[in-house]
């Protein structure tokens, strides 16, 4: 079926639901209440687990391969990108080294490892993880589908604050206007798009820099051959992504550990052999002298020096694999000192051979260990690329759950680790763009300029989000917030001003890539928001449904109809449109709302909330399926089976709660309006999340209030229920007759009087994205023979 209805709503035309309030509206409010009670009262705040010393060492070692691969390979290209025109004054090397030392200390060590990593969302990192934290502590989500029942999840950790506190004032300021919510969302999208740009640029610069080592021992090889070798490595890297990192991940940590061991050893050798005086760069005085000598070249060189801290965005995005303490220990004990030795060793070598700056890393390697080091460097570059690609997949999955990215296929690659995913469409797009950047520039200097632009923008976005996290989540004093923000912005804005000089030298690449993804993500989110507003505006009153009678004014045919909707209350417009165009509907109707929450995961036992709507002889239910941004609809996760298991559990427990189920004697007469809300809804006792009660004792504690039994109408046929078991048998019989999945196929169009940019965004960009993205039926693994699409058209 593809029946359609013409509706027209604008951005500001969604009226409040109570415009025509009367007796029917009062009855509707009594019959279809939110699932406050079903949500239960579970609380289990996330806490960092305690680890033994040996386990902490083991996890720290493993984190090297996943978290620090990108940051660790920066010595391959930092000095060349700092001095692309050569070294004119040997003293500049000391100044550049001092800048590298203090950049590593201030940004990765102090800011990210010891502050930002603490702002994880139950162990999850990345810009959307920070956004999820903010959405839980303030109503800043642009899609208004939040409800207090969501806060009762085990994983929904949040804090409260005093009404007159600085945090409360900030919260009210953020919630006050839709423009501020949109600004926050755009900020998050910008940071996400820049990390996607990193996923393209990191493999390009890392692999190209590693392959460039061939020119040192094989001088007859030209740059074209190096580019071909890099492209072959990149194609191989992206081609094996579908296997997942779990199968080859055990190699990552040893490779990166050997890499750090090698670069530290070579660094100490070069310091001892060439110029131990480079260690005076640990004094910040040489930074002052570096800039005092003047010249625009010294200021723009900050764009190259900033490459020494690239990889911190992947560090935070890949945080979910390891506890924060292991990440902190690995950086402090292994990564940080090894990087300092590596950069100091290169600086010592360049003090003696400044003309070797183009291949400083490979030129500084002793000839005896050159080829083993080349192999390790290439392997480390591949690991670094893998870290940013995995981070990109994770961020896109998070954006998908927040309604900010078109529906794409997401595949789990590991049974052990939930966070290891593979997105085929994005993988091939990244590969094409990565090869285009590598083959197009053919020069790591221009790629480095592009890379630096992307990294500094991500750092700025993280600082602004952290400012809100410190206020709303950590409830820090405003002085501490101001101190952190000012210190971070001073360093990052300095770097940002430097990369602005290099926008025309390759820095435009991440801006173009980010702009393209930003348009896609924001237009998709806008369309998703308007579709939700349309559903809210056009939903049907439960009183109208009850007015149709037990048969809904139609023939009730055997079978079960699963009506998918984005609403957690009310009857969706597609159902009323469906029953007004067809003379029959199913014996059992279940309204299914699949809801994504700003939490990293929803435990299986808390995933489904089930309640009855209307009298028993209507056989109508509502099921809300809740997912976190890390959860995934997998083929082996039988959605329909779990839904019915939750429904049957609800019915059995409801039958034990004598007098607590909904009354069967409803009509649309005025007598029902005199019943109290608790009388109509059975004191809400069936509204509890019954799947959370495991023993009869706990059920007894729930049903303590007694309710007088009410007389029910006699219902003919198989719809006469004498208990929960009989209704389970009835629903099982209907299930055997067939389950039909009824989904809305909403077409969004711009209004004729809309401005041209809005018509382009809706009629072309959004329509194209809807056409190429996955259907909801594919996400829920609905067989085509059981699918029924109900078409709707509305204008915005």
């Amino acid at each position: 079926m593809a029946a359609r209805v013409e509706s027209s709503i604008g951005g500001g035309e969604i009226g409040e639901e109570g415009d025509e309030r009367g007796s029917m509206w009062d009855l509707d409010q009594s019959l279809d209440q939110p699932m406050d009670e079903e949500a239960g009262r579970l609380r289990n705040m996330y806490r960092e687990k305690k680890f033994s010393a040996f386990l902490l060492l083991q996890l720290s070692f493993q984190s090297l391969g996943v978290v620090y691969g990108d940051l660790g390979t920066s010595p391959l290209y930092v000095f060349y990108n700092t001095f692309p025109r050569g070294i004119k004054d040997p003293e500049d090397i000391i100044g550049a080294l001092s800048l590298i030392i203090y950049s590593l200390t201030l940004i990765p060590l102090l800011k990210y490892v010891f502050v930002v990593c603490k702002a994880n969302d139950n162990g999850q990192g990345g810009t959307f993880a920070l956004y999820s934290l903010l959405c839980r502590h303030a109503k800043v989500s642009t899609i208004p589908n939040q409800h207090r029942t969501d806060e009762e999840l085990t994983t929904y950790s949040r804090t409260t604050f005093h009404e007159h506190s600085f945090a409360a004032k900030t919260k009210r300021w953020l919630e006050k206007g839709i423009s501020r919510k949109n600004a926050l969302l755009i900020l998050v999208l910008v940071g996400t798009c820049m990390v996607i740009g990193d996923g393209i640029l990191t493999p390009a610069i890392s692999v190209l820099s590693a392959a460039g080592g061939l020119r040192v021992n094989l001088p007859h090889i030209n740059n074209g051959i190096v580019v071909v070798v890099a492209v072959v490595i990149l194609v191989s890297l992206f081609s094996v992504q579908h296997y997942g990192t779990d199968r080859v991940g055990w190699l990552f940590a040893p490779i990166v550990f050997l890499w750090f061991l090698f670069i530290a050893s070579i660094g100490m050798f070069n310091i001892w052999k060439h110029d131990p005086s480079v260690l005076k760069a640990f004094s910040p005085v040489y930074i002052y002298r570096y800039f005092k000598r003047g010249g625009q070249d010294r200021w723009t060189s900050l764009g190259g020096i900033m490459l020494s801290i690239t990889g911190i965005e992947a560090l935070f995005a890949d945080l979910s694999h390891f506890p924060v303490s292991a990440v902190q220990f690995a950086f402090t004990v292994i990564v940080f000192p090894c990087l300092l030795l590596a950069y100091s060793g290169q600086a010592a070598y360049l003090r003696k051979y400044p003309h070797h700056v183009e291949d400083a890393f490979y030129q500084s390697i002793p000839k005896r260990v050159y080829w083993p080091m080349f192999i390790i460097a290439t392997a480390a570059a591949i690991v670094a690329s893998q870290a940013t690609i995995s981070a990109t997949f994770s961020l896109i999955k998070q954006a998908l759950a927040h309604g900010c990215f078109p529906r794409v296929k997401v595949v789990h690659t590991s049974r052990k680790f939930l966070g290891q995913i593979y997105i085929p469409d994005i993988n091939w797009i990244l590969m094409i763009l990565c090869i285009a950047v590598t083959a197009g520039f053919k020069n790591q200097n221009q790629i480095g300029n592009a890379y630096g632009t992307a990294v500094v923008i991500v750092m700025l976005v993280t600082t602004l989000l952290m400012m809100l996290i410190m206020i709303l989540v950590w409830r820090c004093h405003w002085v501490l917030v101001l101190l952190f923000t000012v210190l971070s912005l001073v360093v990052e804005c300095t770097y940002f001003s430097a990369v602005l000089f290099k926008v025309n030298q390759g820095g435009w690449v991440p801006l173009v890539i980010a702009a393209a993804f930003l348009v896609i993500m924001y237009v998709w989110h806008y369309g998703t928001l308007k579709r939700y507003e349309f559903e809210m505006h056009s939903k049907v009153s439960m009183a109208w449904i009850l007015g149709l009678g037990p048969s809904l004014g139609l023939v009730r045919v055997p079978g079960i109809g699963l009506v998918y909707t984005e609403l957690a209350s009310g009857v969706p417009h597609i159902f009323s449109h469906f029953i007004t165009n067809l003379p029959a509907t199913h014996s059992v109707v279940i309204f299914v709302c699949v809801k994504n929450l700003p939490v990293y995961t929803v435990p299986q036992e808390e995933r489904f909330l089930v309640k009855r709507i209307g009298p028993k002889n209507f056989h109508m239910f509502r099921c809300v399926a809740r997912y976190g941004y890390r959860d995934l609809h997998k083929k082996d996760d039988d959605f329909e089976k779990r839904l019915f298991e939750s429904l049957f559990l609800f019915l059995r427990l409801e039958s034990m709660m004598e007098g607590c189920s909904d009354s069967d004697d409803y009509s649309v007469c005025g007598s029902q309006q005199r019943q109290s809300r608790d009388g109509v809804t059975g004191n809400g006792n069936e509204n509890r999340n019954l799947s959370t009660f495991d023993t009869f004792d706990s059920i007894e504690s729930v049903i303590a209030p007694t309710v007088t039994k009410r007389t029910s109408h006699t219902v003919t046929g198989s719809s006469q229920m004498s208990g929960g078991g009989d209704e389970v048998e009835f629903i099982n019989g209907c299930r055997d007759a067939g389950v039909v999945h009824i989904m809305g196929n909403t077409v969004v169009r711009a209004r004729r009087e809309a401005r041209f940019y809005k018509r382009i965004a809706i009629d072309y960009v959004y329509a194209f994205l809807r056409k190429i993205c996955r259907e909801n039926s594919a996400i829920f693994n609905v067989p085509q023979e059981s699918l029924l699409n109900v078409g709707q058209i509305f204008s915005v």
Side-chain angles (χ1 to χ4, degrees):
M1 170 186 175
R4 297 184 180 273
V5 59
E6 293 281 353
S7 302
S8 175
I9 82 171
E13 297 176 10
I14 306 301
E16 295 184 1
E17 295 178 346
D19 291 343
E20 299 179 356
R21 298 185 177 185
S23 58
M24 295 292 285
W25 185 87
D26 293 332
L27 178 62
D28 182 54
Q29 294 304 295
S30 299
L31 297 177
D32 192 20
Q33 291 296 320
M35 296 184 171
D36 295 335
E37 302 299 331
E38 289 91 345
R41 301 291 172 186
L42 292 175
R43 289 290 185 186
N44 183 21
M45 302 290 285
Y46 171 84
R47 291 182 177 88
E48 182 89 11
K49 294 181 179 179
K50 299 290 184 180
F51 296 97
S52 65
F54 177 77
L55 182 57
L56 182 63
L57 289 174
Q58 182 181 354
L59 292 171
S60 301
F61 175 76
Q62 292 174 351
S63 71
L64 292 175
V66 176
V67 176
Y68 292 114
D70 189 7
L71 186 65
T73 54
S74 296
L76 284 168
Y77 43 77
V78 167
F79 274 106
Y80 172 57
N81 284 275
T82 304
F83 303 106
R85 300 176 184 175
I87 300 173
K88 299 176 183 178
D89 186 349
E91 286 300 309
D92 287 348
I93 300 172
I94 302 296
L97 177 60
S98 187
L99 280 167
I100 291 172
I101 291 171
Y102 284 96
S103 295
L104 284 169
T105 304
L106 292 174
I107 303 298
L109 180 64
L110 297 181
K111 178 186 174 182
Y112 272 85
V113 173
F114 285 103
V115 179
V116 175
C117 284
K118 287 291 186 180
N120 61 82
D121 179 17
N122 290 276
Q124 308 300 305
T127 50
F128 266 105
L130 297 178
Y131 184 62
S132 296
L133 275 174
L134 293 175
C135 287
R136 296 208 298 271
H137 289 78
K139 296 178 180 179
V140 294
S141 178
T142 53
I143 299 180
N145 65 345
Q146 304 89 359
H147 194 267
R148 58 182 173 271
T149 57
D150 302 334
E151 302 173 10
E152 294 163 7
L153 280 170
T154 305
T155 51
Y156 201 103
S157 56
R158 68 191 296 258
T159 55
T160 57
F161 27 75
H162 193 271
E163 184 180 357
H164 300 291
S165 64
F166 181 62
K169 294 177 183 178
T170 306
K171 176 177 179 290
R172 287 193 294 270
W173 181 83
L174 275 176
E175 297 173 350
K176 195 171 184 180
I178 189 65
S179 60
R180 293 166 190 173
K181 297 178 183 180
N182 279 326
L184 179 61
L185 176 66
I186 291 174
L187 181 68
V188 172
L189 293 182
V190 168
T192 303
C193 293
M194 286 299 171
V195 175
I196 294 174
D198 288 346
I200 296 167
L201 297 171
T202 298
I205 191 171
S206 298
V207 174
L208 187 61
S209 300
L214 290 171
R215 293 195 302 263
V216 176
N217 253 20
L218 303 173
H220 60 281
I221 291 180
N222 58 34
N223 194 55
I225 296 178
V226 172
V227 172
V228 171
V229 172
V231 169
V232 170
I233 294 174
L234 290 172
V235 171
S236 303
L237 172 65
F238 284 99
S239 298
V240 299
Q241 287 299 311
H242 65 280
Y243 291 110
T245 56
D246 186 37
R247 300 190 181 184
V248 292
W250 57 274
L251 277 174
F252 287 0
I255 288 173
V256 177
F257 180 72
L258 283 175
W259 165 258
F260 281 121
L261 191 64
F262 270 53
I263 62 175
S265 302
I266 293 171
M268 287 188 292
F269 173 78
N270 286 327
I271 293 170
W272 169 77
K273 183 177 181 181
H274 298 295
D275 189 1
S277 67
V278 295
L279 296 179
K280 63 186 179 182
F282 280 86
S283 171
V285 173
Y286 290 92
I287 298 177
Y288 170 75
R289 293 180 181 177
Y290 181 73
F291 289 114
K292 186 180 179 181
R293 285 190 288 271
Q296 183 178 325
D297 288 346
R298 288 176 175 80
W299 190 262
T300 56
S301 68
L302 288 174
I305 290 170
M306 198 194 62
L307 296 179
S308 62
I309 57 177
T310 56
I312 49 177
E313 67 288 336
L315 179 156
F316 187 44
D318 287 325
L319 190 65
S320 60
H321 298 280
F322 303 96
V324 174
S325 55
V327 172
Q328 292 173 336
F329 183 83
F331 186 85
T332 307
V333 176
I334 301 175
V335 179
F336 186 62
C338 288
L339 286 176
L340 293 183
L341 287 171
Y343 287 118
S344 300
Q346 285 189 45
Y349 178 84
L350 290 175
R351 292 267 289 177
K352 191 172 184 179
Y353 304 101
H355 56 283
H356 285 169
V357 68
E358 184 174 357
D359 296 303
F361 176 79
Y362 283 106
Q363 292 284 2
S364 65
I365 298 174
K367 292 185 178 180
R368 293 181 180 179
V369 296
Y370 172 81
W371 286 111
M373 195 63 205
F374 174 78
I375 295 172
I376 294 292
T378 305
I382 293 173
V383 172
S385 304
Q386 179 65 58
T388 54
I389 293 169
S390 300
T392 302
F393 290 161
S394 298
L395 284 175
I396 288 178
K397 173 64 178 67
Q398 293 177 12
L400 189 67
H402 283 83
C404 295
F405 203 85
R407 295 184 297 269
V408 291
K409 184 178 182 180
V410 181
V411 181
H412 268 304
T413 58
S414 172
R415 294 183 180 274
K416 301 177 184 177
F417 305 103
L418 186 63
Q420 294 187 5
I421 57 174
Y422 167 66
I423 306 177
D425 300 331
I426 301 301
N427 181 67
W428 303 124
I429 291 173
L430 290 180
M431 185 187 77
I432 293 170
L433 293 175
C434 189
I435 292 174
V437 168
T438 305
F441 284 132
K442 300 179 182 179
N443 187 305
Q444 57 172 290
N445 181 38
Q446 289 186 318
I447 300 176
N449 294 338
Y451 196 14
T453 304
V455 171
V456 73
I457 293 176
V458 174
M459 289 194 300
L460 287 169
V461 169
T462 303
T463 298
L464 296 176
L465 292 176
M466 279 299 302
M467 179 178 65
L468 294 175
I469 292 292
M470 294 178 74
I471 296 172
L472 297 176
V473 182
W474 293 351
R475 291 178 289 173
C476 297
H477 195 277
W478 66 269
V479 174
L480 289 176
V481 178
L482 185 64
L483 183 65
F484 170 83
T485 306
V486 170
L487 289 177
S488 298
L489 289 180
V490 165
V491 177
E492 290 158 8
C493 288
T494 303
Y495 280 127
F496 184 66
S497 65
V499 300
L500 288 178
F501 288 100
K502 298 189 176 184
V503 169
N504 62 342
Q505 302 174 25
W508 56 270
V509 173
L511 299 179
V512 172
I513 294 172
F517 276 97
L518 181 62
V519 168
I520 291 172
M521 295 171 79
Y522 189 78
V523 168
W524 182 264
H525 179 77
Y526 179 79
T528 302
L529 174 62
K530 292 305 175 185
R531 279 176 38 234
Y532 180 81
E533 288 179 348
F534 170 71
E535 289 231 22
M536 284 292 295
H537 178 69
S538 59
K539 69 179 182 179
V540 180
S541 165
M542 267 303 302
W544 178 78
I545 293 291
L546 293 179
L548 299 176
S551 66
L552 301 182
L554 305 168
V555 178
R556 301 294 291 268
V557 298
I560 297 178
L562 299 181
V563 183
Y564 289 82
T565 174
E566 296 184 9
L567 304 177
S569 63
V571 177
H573 186 270
I574 61 168
F575 182 70
S576 63
H577 185 52
F578 172 71
I579 64 176
T580 53
N581 283 273
L582 288 180
T585 190
H586 302 90
S587 299
V588 178
V589 176
I590 305 174
F591 297 110
V592 181
C593 171
V594 179
K595 190 175 182 181
N596 288 292
L597 303 180
V599 297
Y600 76 105
T601 187
V602 176
Q604 286 286 352
E605 62 272 14
E606 300 177 56
R607 177 149 296 163
F608 292 94
L609 296 180
V610 178
K611 71 175 286 186
R612 184 191 301 279
I613 53 177
K616 279 189 175 183
N617 55 352
F618 275 58
H619 306 307
M620 297 177 69
F621 302 90
R622 183 181 309 286
C623 176
V624 178
R626 305 178 295 182
Y627 289 85
Y629 57 79
R630 195 183 177 191
D631 294 330
L632 188 65
H633 304 289
K634 298 183 294 182
K635 289 184 178 180
D636 56 351
D637 183 8
D638 194 339
F639 179 83
E640 183 182 315
K641 178 183 176 183
R642 292 183 183 275
L643 187 152
F644 282 111
E645 286 175 353
S646 300
L647 175 61
F648 294 151
L649 178 60
F650 167 80
L651 292 173
R652 292 191 183 98
L653 294 179
E654 183 192 44
S655 66
M656 299 179 190
M657 302 162 66
E658 184 178 3
C660 291
S661 59
D662 278 341
S663 170
D664 292 13
D665 58 357
Y666 296 121
S667 70
V668 291
C669 300
S671 59
Q672 284 72 25
Q673 298 156 21
R674 294 189 298 268
Q675 296 189 42
S676 66
R677 170 177 169 178
D678 287 344
V680 175
T681 59
N683 278 345
N685 289 329
E686 84 280 11
N687 291 349
R688 297 185 184 269
N689 182 3
L690 299 173
S691 63
T692 63
F693 302 113
D694 297 324
T695 66
F696 189 76
D697 291 336
S698 61
I699 295 170
E700 286 181 331
S701 65
V702 171
I703 63 175
T706 59
V707 181
T708 306
K709 291 185 179 181
R710 297 179 290 270
T711 307
S712 61
H713 289 300
T714 303
V715 184
T716 59
S718 60
S719 61
Q720 184 176 3
M721 296 294 105
S722 60
D726 293 337
E727 192 167 12
V728 168
E729 293 177 6
F730 171 71
I731 294 177
N732 265 323
C734 295
R735 188 181 180 186
D736 293 337
V739 177
V740 176
H741 299 258
I742 304 171
M743 294 185 174
N745 188 13
T746 307
V747 178
V748 185
R749 291 180 180 171
R751 308 173 84 182
R752 290 184 179 180
E753 62 271 23
R755 296 185 178 182
F756 75 96
Y757 59 84
K758 189 173 182 180
R759 285 157 55 188
I760 291 174
I762 296 297
D763 292 345
Y764 296 97
V765 179
Y766 184 73
F768 175 73
L769 294 175
R770 284 271 294 178
K771 187 176 181 179
I772 64 174
C773 76
R774 299 185 83 204
E775 295 290 339
N776 276 326
S777 57
I779 295 176
F780 296 112
N781 305 304
V782 176
Q784 289 299 314
E785 59 272 14
S786 302
L787 176 64
L788 189 62
N789 275 322
V790 180
Q792 298 176 102
I793 300 175
F794 76 96
S795 303
V796 296

